[in-house]
Amino acid sequence: MLNQEVYDKVVAEFAAKFGGKPEVVSYAPGRIEVLGNHTDYNEGYVFSAAIDKGTFFAVSAAADDKVTLVALDMGETYETTLGAVKKVEAGATWANYPLGTFNWLMGGDPSKAGKGFKAVFGGNIPLGAGLSSSAALEMATALALQKLYGTSFGKTELAKIGQKAEHTFAGCPCGLLDQASSMYGEEGALVKSDFRFNTFESVSMGPSVAFMMVKSNAKHALVDGAYASRRQACEDAAKYFAGVLRKPVTHLRDVTMAEWVLYRGGLSETTAKRAVHPIGEDERVLQGAALLEKGDLKGFGALMYDSHESSRNWFENSCEELDKIVDAAKAIPEVYGARLSGGGFGGSCCLLVDPAAAYRIAAQISREYKAAFGDEPACSLIKPSAGARLV
């Protein structure tokens, strides 16, 4: 089993804490975003993949109405009761991800679950790396508690429950990308998502490629308003284009690059810059799908470099550490493409690489990064993997 060691630790901790084996164990992977940045809430397209690192969630029903959550990675325990499930404002704020997921799995009324639960969770997704450890926890929670309580939501509905938890309990207005990628991942394939219709399809990458995640040491934080301000600018731009274009526009998905060029003058400079990023990203994802069909990995990689330039110059959600990683990657022939992954403002870069040269790629990028910043990034080879499941 993938990540057997983590599974063993979670189950052993459950036995030590609660006695006996858990009734249900689930697993959900993190994700990498490969192309299509900040397009999910603009009803656009994204290429992503579930990764080979994830979170296990082990759970049994409680004898009473008590809810106990043990975060193995944090070494912390949070306790409440069904009637008192609410957003944690201070202290163990990590509990908001599983609590929020449970709350919305129960339709916003946890008391109707009847009995509480006791759970231990842990994983091996590097925190703050932009690999969506939070969505992995939400999806692992959703699958395990669905089995425990007998609800019957489909994959997309569970993804939306995790997203709602993120909005209402964790306070981050994310799109559906992270949760959907965790649910719909397949081995050796990308997930191509269409967020207008919430449809998800698998696109094979072929066996001779892998991704390398290069985690910068720039802190990755989205709840501080930078994400929310970008999202607001996109919504403002969509409203503007709805007023000037002679066609229906509800989101930036409906605006072409040519239309942005013609009508951008009516927007403030900052709003125009923010809007062009998701518009361009949608076009790059559709081009990328055509290139993958032909097996043109280098062409696909070139689109990843273009995507990063758009983040750097237009959306301004990159930083000097991420730019350094991408610039270093450009000089290495076995790296086909590179860009920031996820919300940005820190976190990681995603590189499309020839896995045979992984060691050399990591060494060269680490050398250049260390020369610039005095410390080393964490490089890990990642294979697109299967999505969330019961173990």
Side-chain angles (χ1 to χ4, degrees):
M1 179 173 64
L2 190 66
N3 304 317
Q4 179 79 45
E5 201 181 313
V6 184
Y7 169 83
D8 292 343
K9 271 173 69 178
V10 168
V11 171
E13 178 68 18
F14 188 94
K17 182 86 180 170
F18 302 116
K21 289 182 175 173
E23 288 174 57
V24 184
V25 182
S26 62
Y27 170 80
R31 66 96 190 93
I32 48 172
E33 176 201 276
V34 177
L35 200 57
N37 181 252
H38 286 265
T39 51
D40 52 353
Y41 55 81
N42 288 299
E43 291 199 350
Y45 303 96
V46 188
F47 268 129
S48 60
I51 65 173
D52 48 3
K53 291 179 168 59
T55 296
F56 288 93
F57 190 95
V59 65
S60 289
D64 50 22
D65 69 346
K66 204 164 149 190
V67 172
T68 307
L69 290 163
V70 179
L72 194 56
D73 307 331
M74 314 280 289
E76 291 181 18
T77 299
Y78 179 84
E79 294 179 344
T80 186
T81 58
L82 292 179
V85 169
K86 63 179 192 299
K87 179 178 177 176
V88 180
E89 298 288 355
T93 53
W94 55 264
N96 283 320
Y97 301 101
L99 287 177
T101 302
F102 173 55
N103 180 69
W104 298 117
L105 195 72
M106 294 294 138
D109 181 12
S111 60
K112 76 179 187 193
K115 282 187 175 173
F117 64 87
K118 46 197 179 183
V120 174
F121 64 88
N124 59 355
I125 303 168
L127 298 177
L131 296 172
S132 214
S133 51
S134 58
L137 174 54
E138 289 152 9
M139 293 303 90
T141 303
L143 278 178
L145 295 183
Q146 164 139 296
K147 178 75 174 164
L148 193 70
Y149 290 109
T151 57
S152 54
F153 296 105
K155 284 184 180 183
T156 303
E157 292 170 303
L158 290 176
K160 287 179 174 176
I161 283 168
Q163 180 195 27
K164 198 169 182 183
E166 196 100 33
H167 287 191
T168 56
F169 276 61
C172 184
C174 65
L176 197 61
L177 169 69
D178 299 349
Q179 294 82 3
S181 305
S182 184
M183 290 303 281
Y184 281 97
E186 282 190 25
E187 201 166 329
L190 296 182
V191 179
K192 181 177 171 240
S193 304
D194 178 336
F195 286 106
R196 168 146 292 167
F197 302 105
N198 285 329
T199 55
F200 310 96
E201 61 178 293
S202 240
V203 180
S204 177
M205 288 292 289
S208 61
V209 297
F211 293 98
M212 183 177 284
M213 290 308 291
V214 182
K215 180 180 180 287
S216 74
N217 297 306
K219 183 111 181 72
H220 173 80
L222 295 181
V223 189
D224 63 358
Y227 182 105
S229 72
R230 300 299 186 281
R231 183 167 183 161
Q232 187 60 53
C234 290
E235 289 170 6
D236 293 346
K239 278 188 196 134
Y240 163 75
F241 283 114
V244 296
L245 296 178
R246 287 188 290 266
K247 65 176 189 181
V249 174
T250 61
H251 293 76
L252 290 178
R253 151 86 167 249
D254 302 310
V255 182
T256 66
M257 192 62 91
E259 288 163 342
W260 177 85
V261 169
L262 284 172
Y263 293 100
R264 63 174 289 192
L267 290 165
S268 74
E269 190 187 347
T270 299
T271 305
K273 282 168 75 171
R274 302 296 181 253
V276 76
H277 179 61
I279 293 168
E281 288 288 270
D282 278 339
E283 296 189 1
R284 281 185 279 278
V285 172
L286 297 177
Q287 286 172 342
L291 290 168
L292 285 180
E293 238 172 74
K294 295 189 289 193
D296 184 353
L297 288 173
K298 291 197 171 167
F300 186 89
L303 293 173
M304 292 175 69
Y305 283 129
D306 292 347
S307 170
H308 187 80
E309 288 311 304
S310 178
S311 278
R312 190 194 303 226
N313 298 318
W314 298 115
F315 215 61
E316 295 177 297
N317 63 327
S318 188
C319 61
E320 59 178 337
E321 291 91 342
L322 298 177
D323 293 343
K324 177 49 118 183
I325 292 164
V326 171
D327 291 344
K330 282 179 180 166
I332 306 170
E334 294 88 355
V335 180
Y336 307 131
R339 62 189 282 276
L340 65 79
S341 181
F345 313 104
S348 297
C349 286
C350 172
L351 282 55
L352 178 62
V353 302
D354 174 352
Y359 183 80
R360 196 159 52 75
I361 293 166
Q364 188 166 331
I365 288 175
S366 296
R367 220 173 17 250
E368 293 193 33
Y369 188 96
K370 188 171 186 179
F373 303 110
D375 56 2
E376 291 191 19
C379 302
S380 50
L381 203 61
I382 280 173
K383 295 259 197 274
S385 298
R389 56 201 179 271
L390 292 170
V391 179

